[in-house]
Amino acid sequence: MAREPIRVGLTFDDVLLVPRRSGVTTRSAVDTATRLTRQIEMAIPVVSANMDAVTESEMAIALARAGGIGVIHRFLPIDRHAAEVRRVKRAESVVIERPYTFSPGQTIREAIAFMEEHGAAGLLVVDADGTLLGLVTARDLLFEDDLDQPVSSVMTPRARLVTAPPDVGIDEARAVLHRHRLEKLPLIDGEGKLRGLITSRDIQSRLKYPHATKDAKGRLRTGAAVGIRGDYMERAAAVVVEGADVLVMDVAHAHTEAAIEALVRLRQAFPDVSIVAGNVATAEGTRDLIARGADAVKVGVGPGSTCTTRVVTGAGVPQLTAVLDCAQAAADHGIPLIADGGIRNSGDMTKALAAGASSVMLGNLLAGTQESPGALIVRNGRQYKTYRGMASLWAAARRRALETPVEEEDISQIVAEGVEAMVPYRGKAADVLAQLVGGLRSGMSYCGARVIPELWEKAEFMHITVAGLRESLPHDVEPT
Ligand code: XMP
Protein backbone atom coordinates (compact mmCIF):
# COMPACT_ATOMS: atom_id res chain seq x y z
CA MET A 1 0.00 0.00 0.00
CA ALA A 2 1.41 3.41 -0.98
CA ARG A 3 1.58 5.79 1.94
CA GLU A 4 2.09 9.50 2.27
CA PRO A 5 5.40 10.35 3.96
CA ILE A 6 4.95 10.58 7.73
CA ARG A 7 4.60 14.21 8.82
CA VAL A 8 6.23 15.66 11.91
CA GLY A 9 3.86 16.97 14.57
CA LEU A 10 5.03 19.67 16.95
CA THR A 11 3.84 20.95 20.26
CA PHE A 12 4.50 23.97 22.47
CA ASP A 13 7.87 22.86 23.86
CA ASP A 14 9.16 22.08 20.36
CA VAL A 15 9.10 25.72 19.29
CA LEU A 16 9.86 29.27 20.31
CA LEU A 17 8.62 32.52 18.86
CA VAL A 18 11.43 34.46 17.21
CA PRO A 19 11.70 37.96 18.70
CA ARG A 20 11.42 40.71 16.12
CA ARG A 21 11.63 44.46 15.81
CA SER A 22 8.77 45.84 17.82
CA GLY A 23 7.17 49.23 18.00
CA VAL A 24 5.26 48.21 21.11
CA THR A 25 6.64 50.35 23.90
CA THR A 26 4.76 49.03 26.93
CA ARG A 27 2.75 45.93 27.70
CA SER A 28 -0.28 48.09 28.27
CA ALA A 29 -0.17 49.13 24.59
CA VAL A 30 -1.07 45.55 23.67
CA ASP A 31 -4.76 44.81 23.19
CA THR A 32 -5.81 41.20 23.82
CA ALA A 33 -9.36 41.63 22.48
CA THR A 34 -10.59 38.66 20.50
CA ARG A 35 -13.61 36.64 19.39
CA LEU A 36 -14.83 33.46 21.02
CA THR A 37 -17.19 32.71 18.15
CA ARG A 38 -18.29 34.51 15.02
CA GLN A 39 -20.61 36.65 17.17
CA ILE A 40 -19.09 36.88 20.66
CA GLU A 41 -16.28 39.28 21.53
CA MET A 42 -14.08 39.13 24.61
CA ALA A 43 -11.37 41.32 26.12
CA ILE A 44 -9.06 38.41 26.98
CA PRO A 45 -8.63 35.20 24.99
CA VAL A 46 -9.36 32.77 27.82
CA VAL A 47 -12.11 30.17 28.19
CA SER A 48 -12.47 27.92 31.23
CA ALA A 49 -12.86 24.23 30.44
CA ASN A 50 -16.23 22.47 30.57
CA MET A 51 -15.01 20.01 33.18
CA ASP A 52 -16.67 19.17 36.49
CA ALA A 53 -13.55 20.16 38.44
CA VAL A 54 -13.25 23.48 36.62
CA THR A 55 -16.41 25.32 35.59
CA GLU A 56 -19.67 25.87 37.38
CA SER A 57 -21.28 29.25 37.95
CA GLU A 58 -18.62 30.63 40.29
CA MET A 59 -15.83 30.08 37.77
CA ALA A 60 -17.99 31.31 34.89
CA ILE A 61 -18.71 34.54 36.78
CA ALA A 62 -15.00 35.06 37.53
CA LEU A 63 -14.03 34.44 33.90
CA ALA A 64 -16.67 36.74 32.45
CA ARG A 65 -15.78 39.52 34.90
CA ALA A 66 -12.13 39.24 33.87
CA GLY A 67 -13.09 39.53 30.18
CA GLY A 68 -13.05 35.85 29.19
CA ILE A 69 -15.83 33.28 29.40
CA GLY A 70 -16.58 30.05 31.26
CA VAL A 71 -18.25 26.95 29.88
CA ILE A 72 -20.39 25.19 32.46
CA HIS A 73 -19.88 21.42 32.31
CA ARG A 74 -22.74 19.05 31.52
CA PHE A 75 -22.29 16.37 34.18
CA LEU A 76 -25.26 17.65 36.14
CA PRO A 77 -28.96 16.88 35.87
CA ILE A 78 -30.54 19.24 33.34
CA ASP A 79 -32.35 21.38 35.93
CA ARG A 80 -29.15 21.93 37.92
CA HIS A 81 -27.24 22.71 34.75
CA ALA A 82 -29.85 25.32 33.84
CA ALA A 83 -29.70 26.72 37.39
CA GLU A 84 -25.91 27.20 37.08
CA VAL A 85 -26.44 29.16 33.87
CA ARG A 86 -29.15 31.21 35.58
CA ARG A 87 -26.77 32.11 38.41
CA VAL A 88 -24.27 33.56 35.96
CA LYS A 89 -26.92 35.44 34.00
CA ARG A 90 -28.29 36.88 37.21
CA ALA A 91 -24.93 37.67 38.78
CA GLU A 92 -25.13 41.18 37.40
CA SER A 93 -27.05 43.13 34.81
CA VAL A 94 -28.11 46.68 34.16
CA VAL A 95 -31.72 45.82 34.81
CA ILE A 96 -32.81 42.45 36.17
CA GLU A 97 -35.89 41.96 34.03
CA ARG A 98 -37.32 38.99 35.91
CA PRO A 99 -36.32 39.51 39.55
CA TYR A 100 -37.01 36.75 42.04
CA THR A 101 -40.48 37.22 43.47
CA PHE A 102 -42.50 35.69 46.28
CA SER A 103 -46.19 35.84 47.09
CA PRO A 104 -47.20 37.42 50.42
CA GLY A 105 -48.52 34.17 51.90
CA GLN A 106 -45.33 32.16 51.43
CA THR A 107 -43.44 31.50 54.64
CA ILE A 108 -40.18 32.85 55.98
CA ARG A 109 -38.88 29.28 55.97
CA GLU A 110 -39.54 29.04 52.24
CA ALA A 111 -37.92 32.42 51.65
CA ILE A 112 -34.74 31.41 53.51
CA ALA A 113 -34.51 28.14 51.56
CA PHE A 114 -35.08 29.95 48.26
CA MET A 115 -32.44 32.59 48.97
CA GLU A 116 -29.89 29.96 49.92
CA GLU A 117 -30.59 27.87 46.85
CA HIS A 118 -30.48 30.78 44.41
CA GLY A 119 -27.87 32.91 46.15
CA ALA A 120 -30.37 35.79 46.32
CA ALA A 121 -30.01 38.55 48.89
CA GLY A 122 -33.61 39.75 48.65
CA LEU A 123 -37.04 38.90 47.30
CA LEU A 124 -39.71 41.19 45.95
CA VAL A 125 -43.18 40.35 47.17
CA VAL A 126 -45.92 40.64 44.55
CA ASP A 127 -49.58 39.71 44.37
CA ALA A 128 -51.10 37.36 41.80
CA ASP A 129 -51.23 39.99 39.04
CA GLY A 130 -47.68 41.24 39.59
CA THR A 131 -48.37 44.33 41.70
CA LEU A 132 -45.46 45.11 44.00
CA LEU A 133 -46.39 44.70 47.68
CA GLY A 134 -43.03 44.87 49.42
CA LEU A 135 -39.44 43.71 49.75
CA VAL A 136 -37.86 41.11 52.02
CA THR A 137 -34.10 41.04 52.46
CA ALA A 138 -31.89 38.49 54.18
CA ARG A 139 -31.49 40.98 57.02
CA ASP A 140 -35.27 41.03 57.64
CA LEU A 141 -35.22 37.26 58.13
CA LEU A 142 -32.08 36.98 60.22
CA PHE A 143 -33.46 36.92 63.77
CA GLU A 144 -36.98 35.65 63.12
CA ASP A 145 -37.88 32.72 65.39
CA ASP A 146 -41.27 31.88 63.93
CA LEU A 147 -40.34 30.61 60.49
CA ASP A 148 -43.94 29.74 59.61
CA GLN A 149 -45.04 33.37 59.50
CA PRO A 150 -45.88 34.74 56.06
CA VAL A 151 -43.23 36.95 54.44
CA SER A 152 -45.79 39.78 54.37
CA SER A 153 -45.35 40.11 58.14
CA VAL A 154 -41.66 40.99 57.90
CA MET A 155 -41.38 42.70 54.50
CA THR A 156 -40.80 46.40 54.02
CA PRO A 157 -44.15 47.44 52.56
CA ARG A 158 -44.50 49.14 49.18
CA ALA A 159 -45.35 52.51 50.79
CA ARG A 160 -41.90 52.66 52.43
CA LEU A 161 -39.96 51.53 49.35
CA VAL A 162 -38.17 53.86 46.98
CA THR A 163 -39.00 52.84 43.41
CA ALA A 164 -38.37 54.14 39.90
CA PRO A 165 -40.13 53.90 36.54
CA PRO A 166 -39.03 51.10 34.15
CA ASP A 167 -37.22 53.49 31.80
CA VAL A 168 -35.03 55.11 34.48
CA GLY A 169 -31.51 55.91 33.23
CA ILE A 170 -28.55 54.16 34.80
CA ASP A 171 -27.00 57.39 36.13
CA GLU A 172 -30.27 58.45 37.68
CA ALA A 173 -30.74 55.01 39.26
CA ARG A 174 -27.24 55.25 40.68
CA ALA A 175 -27.97 58.68 42.15
CA VAL A 176 -31.21 57.44 43.77
CA LEU A 177 -29.52 54.37 45.24
CA HIS A 178 -26.73 56.54 46.60
CA ARG A 179 -29.00 59.29 47.96
CA HIS A 180 -31.16 56.84 49.92
CA ARG A 181 -28.27 54.46 50.75
CA LEU A 182 -30.25 51.65 49.13
CA GLU A 183 -29.27 48.25 47.89
CA LYS A 184 -32.30 47.60 45.66
CA LEU A 185 -34.38 49.79 43.38
CA PRO A 186 -37.55 48.08 42.11
CA LEU A 187 -38.90 49.40 38.82
CA ILE A 188 -42.67 49.73 38.64
CA ASP A 189 -45.03 50.98 35.96
CA GLY A 190 -47.95 53.41 36.30
CA GLU A 191 -50.21 50.63 37.59
CA GLY A 192 -47.82 49.61 40.35
CA LYS A 193 -46.73 46.41 38.57
CA LEU A 194 -43.17 45.16 38.99
CA ARG A 195 -41.20 45.62 35.75
CA GLY A 196 -37.61 45.04 36.88
CA LEU A 197 -34.95 45.65 39.49
CA ILE A 198 -31.68 47.58 39.65
CA THR A 199 -29.21 46.81 42.43
CA SER A 200 -26.31 48.89 43.73
CA ARG A 201 -24.13 45.78 43.56
CA ASP A 202 -24.65 45.59 39.79
CA ILE A 203 -23.85 49.24 39.35
CA GLN A 204 -20.67 48.96 41.43
CA SER A 205 -19.73 45.84 39.50
CA ARG A 206 -19.97 47.72 36.20
CA LEU A 207 -17.35 50.11 37.48
CA LYS A 208 -15.20 47.39 39.03
CA TYR A 209 -15.09 45.09 35.98
CA PRO A 210 -14.96 47.41 32.97
CA HIS A 211 -13.76 44.66 30.59
CA ALA A 212 -16.36 42.06 31.58
CA THR A 213 -17.82 39.90 28.81
CA LYS A 214 -21.47 40.94 28.69
CA ASP A 215 -24.52 40.47 26.52
CA ALA A 216 -26.69 43.25 25.12
CA LYS A 217 -28.66 43.38 28.37
CA GLY A 218 -25.54 43.91 30.46
CA ARG A 219 -25.60 40.36 31.84
CA LEU A 220 -22.38 38.34 32.11
CA ARG A 221 -22.00 35.89 29.28
CA THR A 222 -21.60 32.17 29.80
CA GLY A 223 -21.27 29.01 27.77
CA ALA A 224 -22.85 25.64 28.48
CA ALA A 225 -21.62 22.27 27.32
CA VAL A 226 -23.84 19.71 25.61
CA GLY A 227 -23.09 16.19 24.47
CA ILE A 228 -24.21 14.55 21.23
CA ARG A 229 -26.34 11.73 22.60
CA GLY A 230 -29.23 11.11 24.95
CA ASP A 231 -30.84 14.23 26.35
CA TYR A 232 -28.58 16.76 24.60
CA MET A 233 -31.35 18.60 22.73
CA GLU A 234 -33.42 18.92 25.89
CA ARG A 235 -30.34 20.08 27.81
CA ALA A 236 -29.52 22.64 25.13
CA ALA A 237 -33.08 23.99 25.22
CA ALA A 238 -32.99 24.29 29.02
CA VAL A 239 -29.72 26.24 29.14
CA VAL A 240 -30.71 28.47 26.22
CA VAL A 241 -33.95 29.42 27.99
CA GLU A 242 -31.84 30.60 30.92
CA GLY A 243 -29.77 32.77 28.58
CA ALA A 244 -26.69 30.66 27.76
CA ASP A 245 -24.82 32.65 25.11
CA VAL A 246 -23.02 29.75 23.57
CA LEU A 247 -23.54 26.00 23.31
CA VAL A 248 -20.27 24.10 23.42
CA MET A 249 -20.32 20.62 21.97
CA ASP A 250 -18.43 18.33 24.30
CA VAL A 251 -17.03 15.43 22.30
CA ALA A 252 -13.48 14.10 22.33
CA HIS A 253 -13.63 13.25 18.59
CA ALA A 254 -16.08 15.46 16.72
CA HIS A 255 -15.05 14.47 13.21
CA THR A 256 -17.65 11.70 13.23
CA GLU A 257 -21.02 11.22 11.58
CA ALA A 258 -22.73 11.26 14.99
CA ALA A 259 -21.17 14.56 16.05
CA ILE A 260 -21.90 16.22 12.71
CA GLU A 261 -25.52 15.08 12.89
CA ALA A 262 -25.82 16.50 16.41
CA LEU A 263 -24.30 19.79 15.22
CA VAL A 264 -26.83 19.99 12.39
CA ARG A 265 -29.72 19.39 14.81
CA LEU A 266 -28.43 21.97 17.28
CA ARG A 267 -27.89 24.49 14.48
CA GLN A 268 -31.44 24.05 13.23
CA ALA A 269 -33.03 24.23 16.66
CA PHE A 270 -30.97 27.23 17.87
CA PRO A 271 -30.24 29.46 14.89
CA ASP A 272 -29.58 32.51 17.08
CA VAL A 273 -27.26 30.93 19.64
CA SER A 274 -23.51 30.64 19.05
CA ILE A 275 -22.35 27.05 18.69
CA VAL A 276 -18.81 25.86 19.31
CA ALA A 277 -18.14 22.51 17.67
CA GLY A 278 -15.28 20.16 18.49
CA ASN A 279 -12.91 18.74 19.29
CA VAL A 280 -10.99 18.16 16.11
CA ALA A 281 -7.29 18.23 15.25
CA THR A 282 -7.25 18.43 11.44
CA ALA A 283 -8.03 20.91 8.69
CA GLU A 284 -10.57 18.51 7.22
CA GLY A 285 -12.36 18.15 10.55
CA THR A 286 -12.43 21.94 10.89
CA ARG A 287 -13.88 22.39 7.40
CA ASP A 288 -16.58 19.77 7.95
CA LEU A 289 -17.76 21.38 11.18
CA ILE A 290 -17.74 24.86 9.66
CA ALA A 291 -19.76 23.56 6.71
CA ARG A 292 -22.43 22.35 9.17
CA GLY A 293 -22.79 25.69 10.89
CA ALA A 294 -20.14 25.87 13.64
CA ASP A 295 -19.56 29.44 14.86
CA ALA A 296 -16.20 28.43 16.32
CA VAL A 297 -14.17 25.23 16.28
CA LYS A 298 -12.42 23.75 19.30
CA VAL A 299 -9.07 22.12 18.59
CA GLY A 300 -7.34 19.47 20.65
CA VAL A 301 -7.21 15.69 20.60
CA GLY A 302 -5.23 14.42 23.53
CA PRO A 303 -3.07 17.38 24.66
CA GLY A 304 -4.84 17.93 28.01
CA SER A 305 -2.97 17.46 31.27
CA THR A 306 -5.31 14.70 32.46
CA CYS A 307 -5.73 13.04 29.05
CA THR A 308 -4.57 9.54 28.29
CA THR A 309 -6.33 9.40 24.90
CA ARG A 310 -3.06 9.23 22.99
CA VAL A 311 -1.70 6.46 25.19
CA VAL A 312 -4.92 4.44 25.20
CA THR A 313 -5.85 4.88 21.54
CA GLY A 314 -2.63 5.83 19.80
CA ALA A 315 -4.50 8.73 18.17
CA GLY A 316 -4.03 12.50 18.39
CA VAL A 317 -2.06 15.38 16.91
CA PRO A 318 0.54 17.38 18.86
CA GLN A 319 -1.27 20.57 19.73
CA LEU A 320 0.78 23.23 17.95
CA THR A 321 0.56 21.38 14.63
CA ALA A 322 -3.15 20.76 15.22
CA VAL A 323 -3.79 24.48 15.71
CA LEU A 324 -1.62 25.45 12.71
CA ASP A 325 -3.46 22.98 10.44
CA CYS A 326 -6.95 23.90 11.65
CA ALA A 327 -6.18 27.63 11.52
CA GLN A 328 -5.58 27.54 7.79
CA ALA A 329 -8.98 25.95 7.21
CA ALA A 330 -10.79 28.25 9.64
CA ALA A 331 -9.20 31.45 8.33
CA ASP A 332 -10.79 30.87 4.90
CA HIS A 333 -14.20 31.19 6.57
CA GLY A 334 -13.44 33.79 9.25
CA ILE A 335 -14.32 31.30 11.99
CA PRO A 336 -12.42 31.56 15.30
CA LEU A 337 -10.53 28.60 16.77
CA ILE A 338 -10.25 27.70 20.44
CA ALA A 339 -7.02 25.88 21.34
CA ASP A 340 -8.10 23.38 24.00
CA GLY A 341 -5.68 21.56 26.28
CA GLY A 342 -2.04 21.30 27.17
CA ILE A 343 -1.50 24.96 28.10
CA ARG A 344 0.83 25.12 31.13
CA ASN A 345 1.91 28.77 31.15
CA SER A 346 1.54 32.12 29.40
CA GLY A 347 4.25 31.15 26.91
CA ASP A 348 2.13 28.20 25.70
CA MET A 349 -0.86 30.53 25.51
CA THR A 350 1.06 32.99 23.31
CA LYS A 351 2.25 30.14 21.07
CA ALA A 352 -1.29 28.72 20.68
CA LEU A 353 -2.62 32.15 19.69
CA ALA A 354 0.34 32.84 17.41
CA ALA A 355 -0.42 29.55 15.63
CA GLY A 356 -3.84 30.93 14.70
CA ALA A 357 -6.16 30.35 17.65
CA SER A 358 -8.42 33.18 18.78
CA SER A 359 -8.64 31.91 22.35
CA VAL A 360 -7.39 29.15 24.60
CA MET A 361 -9.35 26.79 26.81
CA LEU A 362 -7.78 26.16 30.21
CA GLY A 363 -8.46 23.25 32.52
CA ASN A 364 -5.41 22.61 34.65
CA LEU A 365 -4.39 26.26 35.18
CA LEU A 366 -7.83 27.12 36.56
CA ALA A 367 -8.63 23.85 38.38
CA GLY A 368 -6.47 24.96 41.31
CA THR A 369 -8.24 28.26 41.84
CA GLN A 370 -10.65 29.24 44.57
CA GLU A 371 -13.59 29.36 42.13
CA SER A 372 -13.27 25.79 40.82
CA PRO A 373 -15.78 23.28 42.19
CA GLY A 374 -13.03 20.77 43.14
CA ALA A 375 -12.42 19.99 46.81
CA LEU A 376 -9.52 21.61 48.67
CA ILE A 377 -7.05 19.04 50.01
CA VAL A 378 -4.11 19.52 52.38
CA ARG A 379 -1.12 17.19 51.91
CA ASN A 380 2.09 17.63 53.89
CA GLY A 381 1.07 21.17 54.76
CA ARG A 382 0.45 22.15 51.12
CA GLN A 383 -2.94 22.94 49.62
CA TYR A 384 -4.27 21.25 46.48
CA LYS A 385 -7.54 20.93 44.60
CA THR A 386 -8.80 17.79 42.94
CA TYR A 387 -8.77 17.68 39.16
CA ARG A 388 -9.80 14.88 36.85
CA GLY A 389 -10.16 14.15 33.18
CA MET A 390 -13.76 13.90 32.02
CA ALA A 391 -12.96 10.54 30.45
CA SER A 392 -11.28 9.25 33.60
CA LEU A 393 -12.86 6.13 35.05
CA TRP A 394 -15.33 7.59 37.55
CA ALA A 395 -16.15 10.65 35.48
CA ALA A 396 -16.86 8.40 32.50
CA ALA A 397 -19.04 6.11 34.64
CA ARG A 398 -21.06 9.10 35.81
CA ARG A 399 -21.41 10.47 32.31
CA ARG A 400 -22.55 7.10 30.97
CA ALA A 401 -25.15 6.87 33.69
CA LEU A 402 -26.47 10.29 32.66
CA GLU A 403 -26.49 9.50 28.94
CA THR A 404 -27.71 5.91 28.90
CA PRO A 405 -29.28 5.00 32.23
CA VAL A 406 -28.80 1.32 32.94
CA GLU A 407 -29.71 -0.72 35.97
CA GLU A 408 -26.22 -1.82 36.86
CA GLU A 409 -23.24 -0.10 35.38
CA ASP A 410 -20.45 -2.51 34.50
CA ILE A 411 -17.39 -0.44 35.36
CA SER A 412 -15.02 -3.00 33.88
CA GLN A 413 -16.40 -2.23 30.42
CA ILE A 414 -15.35 1.41 30.57
CA VAL A 415 -12.10 2.22 28.78
CA ALA A 416 -10.86 5.35 30.53
CA GLU A 417 -9.02 8.03 28.55
CA GLY A 418 -8.15 10.31 31.43
CA VAL A 419 -6.73 10.35 34.95
CA GLU A 420 -7.85 11.64 38.34
CA ALA A 421 -5.34 13.88 40.05
CA MET A 422 -4.77 17.03 42.07
CA VAL A 423 -3.19 20.39 41.31
CA PRO A 424 -1.60 23.01 43.60
CA TYR A 425 -4.01 25.56 45.02
CA ARG A 426 -3.44 28.85 43.20
CA GLY A 427 -5.75 31.39 44.89
CA LYS A 428 -8.18 33.56 42.99
CA ALA A 429 -8.86 32.95 39.29
CA ALA A 430 -8.55 36.71 38.64
CA ASP A 431 -4.96 36.70 39.93
CA VAL A 432 -4.02 33.67 37.84
CA LEU A 433 -5.60 35.30 34.77
CA ALA A 434 -3.77 38.58 35.42
CA GLN A 435 -0.43 36.73 35.39
CA LEU A 436 -1.31 34.82 32.24
CA VAL A 437 -2.54 37.87 30.38
CA GLY A 438 0.51 39.87 31.52
CA GLY A 439 2.76 37.15 30.07
CA LEU A 440 0.73 37.10 26.85
CA ARG A 441 1.05 40.86 26.46
CA SER A 442 4.84 40.58 26.81
CA GLY A 443 4.91 37.69 24.37
CA MET A 444 2.93 39.69 21.83
CA SER A 445 5.26 42.64 22.20
CA TYR A 446 8.30 40.36 21.54
CA CYS A 447 6.57 39.49 18.25
CA GLY A 448 5.85 43.15 17.47
CA ALA A 449 2.08 42.61 17.69
CA ARG A 450 -0.34 45.08 19.22
CA VAL A 451 -3.42 42.97 18.54
CA ILE A 452 -4.05 39.26 18.11
CA PRO A 453 -4.62 39.34 14.31
CA GLU A 454 -1.23 41.07 14.01
CA LEU A 455 0.28 38.23 16.06
CA TRP A 456 -1.08 35.72 13.51
CA GLU A 457 0.63 37.65 10.73
CA LYS A 458 3.94 38.43 12.36
CA ALA A 459 4.68 35.32 14.45
CA GLU A 460 7.63 33.28 13.30
CA PHE A 461 8.17 29.91 14.97
CA MET A 462 11.54 28.26 15.33
CA HIS A 463 11.75 24.51 15.83
CA ILE A 464 14.15 23.97 18.73
CA THR A 465 16.12 20.97 19.96
CA VAL A 466 16.10 19.27 23.35
CA ALA A 467 19.22 21.31 24.20
CA GLY A 468 17.31 24.48 23.28
CA LEU A 469 14.43 23.50 25.55
CA ARG A 470 16.86 22.74 28.38
CA GLU A 471 18.37 26.19 27.93
CA SER A 472 14.87 27.76 28.03
CA LEU A 473 14.17 26.40 31.50
CA PRO A 474 15.94 27.61 34.67
CA HIS A 475 19.28 25.77 34.79
CA ASP A 476 22.51 25.60 36.73
CA VAL A 477 20.92 27.09 39.83
CA GLU A 478 19.81 25.45 43.05
CA PRO A 479 16.18 25.88 44.08
CA THR A 480 15.90 28.00 47.25
P1 XMP B 1 -5.67 21.09 30.41
O1 XMP B 1 -4.30 20.70 29.84
O2 XMP B 1 -5.84 22.56 30.46
O3 XMP B 1 -6.71 20.52 29.33
O4 XMP B 1 -5.92 20.41 31.70
C1 XMP B 1 -8.10 20.65 29.47
C2 XMP B 1 -8.77 19.88 28.36
O5 XMP B 1 -8.51 18.48 28.43
C3 XMP B 1 -9.54 17.76 27.74
N1 XMP B 1 -9.98 16.67 28.58
C4 XMP B 1 -9.70 15.36 28.36
N2 XMP B 1 -9.08 14.76 27.34
N3 XMP B 1 -9.39 12.67 28.41
C5 XMP B 1 -8.94 13.38 27.35
O6 XMP B 1 -8.38 12.81 26.41
C6 XMP B 1 -10.03 13.21 29.47
O7 XMP B 1 -10.41 12.53 30.42
C7 XMP B 1 -10.21 14.64 29.43
N4 XMP B 1 -10.81 15.50 30.28
C8 XMP B 1 -10.64 16.74 29.72
C9 XMP B 1 -10.66 18.74 27.47
O8 XMP B 1 -10.60 19.08 26.11
C10 XMP B 1 -10.29 19.91 28.38
O9 XMP B 1 -10.82 21.14 27.97
Side-chain angles (χ1 to χ4, degrees), residues 47-51 54 250-252 279 298-310 339-344 361-367 387-393 395-396 399 416-420 423:
V47 186
S48 69
N50 43 289
M51 299 172 72
V54 181
D250 179 15
V251 211
N279 283 16
K298 193 145 71 73
V299 179
V301 176
S305 63
T306 57
C307 302
T308 53
T309 293
R310 294 179 187 170
D340 174 19
I343 301 226
R344 301 153 304 166
M361 179 171 260
L362 305 180
N364 187 308
L365 286 177
L366 294 170
Y387 183 43
R388 64 177 186 179
M390 294 317 308
S392 61
L393 187 63
R399 181 180 56 200
E417 290 184 25
V419 296
E420 316 201 356
V423 288

Side-chain angles (χ1 to χ4, degrees), residues 388-412:
R388 64 177 186 179
M390 294 317 308
S392 61
L393 187 63
W394 290 105
R398 200 172 141 210
R399 181 180 56 200
R400 253 217 225 178
L402 273 176
E403 283 178 348
T404 43
V406 282
E407 295 273 296
E408 273 185 34
E409 186 61 55
D410 185 356
I411 295 287
S412 67

Side-chain angles (χ1 to χ4, degrees), residues 379-394:
R379 284 269 164 88
N380 300 329
R382 292 226 172 108
Q383 292 183 308
Y384 298 87
K385 282 194 115 176
T386 51
Y387 183 43
R388 64 177 186 179
M390 294 317 308
S392 61
L393 187 63
W394 290 105

Side-chain angles (χ1 to χ4, degrees), residues 37 39 245-249 263 266-268 270 273-277 293-297:
T37 63
Q39 306 88 344
D245 299 276
V246 47
L247 293 171
V248 178
M249 259 173 64
L263 170 59
L266 288 165
R267 179 76 292 161
Q268 278 169 353
F270 307 101
V273 181
S274 266
I275 300 180
V276 173
D295 296 308
V297 174

Side-chain angles (χ1 to χ4, degrees), residues 39-355:
Q39 306 88 344
I40 296 180
E41 297 184 347
M42 312 190 284
I44 67 167
V46 183
V47 186
S48 69
N50 43 289
M51 299 172 72
D52 68 359
V54 181
T55 313
E56 289 182 357
S57 52
E58 215 182 322
M59 181 69 78
I61 290 169
L63 260 289
R65 283 185 172 152
I69 196 164
V71 183
I72 295 170
H73 72 89
R74 67 186 169 97
F75 304 99
L76 292 162
I78 291 178
D79 58 339
R80 284 196 44 219
H81 196 179
E84 289 297 311
V85 170
R86 193 183 315 136
R87 267 178 188 254
V88 185
K89 299 308 289 185
R90 282 178 180 264
E92 53 194 72
S93 57
V94 181
V95 174
I96 303 168
E97 286 178 345
R98 288 183 294 150
Y100 293 126
T101 58
F102 246 51
S103 41
Q106 286 183 275
T107 63
I108 293 178
R109 192 187 305 282
E110 287 174 277
I112 292 173
F114 185 93
M115 285 180 181
E116 272 172 14
E117 190 187 337
H118 296 270
L123 292 171
L124 291 160
V125 182
V126 295
D127 69 10
D129 60 349
T131 304
L132 181 66
L133 301 177
L135 169 72
V136 206
T137 63
R139 222 178 312 149
D140 296 329
L141 306 177
L142 205 53
F143 299 112
E144 280 303 328
D145 292 328
D146 180 3
L147 300 186
D148 294 316
Q149 286 181 81
V151 288
S152 56
S153 62
V154 290
M155 70 185 187
T156 305
R158 160 79 186 89
R160 295 213 331 258
L161 289 179
V162 178
T163 63
D167 59 355
V168 65
I170 207 74
D171 291 338
E172 199 186 337
R174 191 172 160 208
V176 174
L177 285 164
H178 180 67
R179 189 170 340 117
H180 298 278
R181 302 289 187 270
L182 293 174
E183 174 49 31
K184 291 186 160 41
L185 182 65
L187 307 180
I188 55 170
D189 62 19
E191 293 166 13
K193 294 218 167 71
L194 180 66
R195 293 286 176 233
L197 176 69
I198 293 179
T199 71
S200 60
R201 209 185 48 165
D202 290 345
I203 291 187
Q204 278 161 13
S205 179
R206 268 161 68 92
L207 302 174
K208 196 165 162 200
Y209 307 108
H211 304 298
T213 309
K214 292 189 166 181
D215 65 18
K217 293 179 178 168
R219 302 175 301 177
L220 296 177
R221 285 198 191 273
T222 185
V226 292
I228 58 161
R229 291 180 220 287
D231 61 14
Y232 75 100
M233 291 299 287
E234 196 189 325
R235 182 174 294 274
V239 294
V240 166
V241 163
E242 294 299 340
D245 299 276
V246 47
L247 293 171
V248 178
M249 259 173 64
D250 179 15
V251 211
H253 178 29
H255 200 193
T256 62
E257 301 303 328
I260 290 174
E261 200 177 301
L263 170 59
V264 169
R265 286 191 66 196
L266 288 165
R267 179 76 292 161
Q268 278 169 353
F270 307 101
D272 302 325
V273 181
S274 266
I275 300 180
V276 173
N279 283 16
V280 292
T282 61
E284 201 188 344
T286 304
R287 269 187 226 108
D288 284 352
L289 297 182
I290 291 173
R292 301 311 170 104
D295 296 308
V297 174
K298 193 145 71 73
V299 179
V301 176
S305 63
T306 57
C307 302
T308 53
T309 293
R310 294 179 187 170
V311 180
V312 173
T313 69
V317 176
Q319 185 67 346
L320 190 87
T321 293
V323 175
L324 285 166
D325 287 355
C326 296
Q328 291 222 328
D332 296 341
H333 303 271
I335 295 288
L337 289 187
I338 303 161
D340 174 19
I343 301 226
R344 301 153 304 166
N345 47 48
S346 50
D348 289 351
M349 196 164 133
T350 312
K351 291 172 190 174
L353 295 165

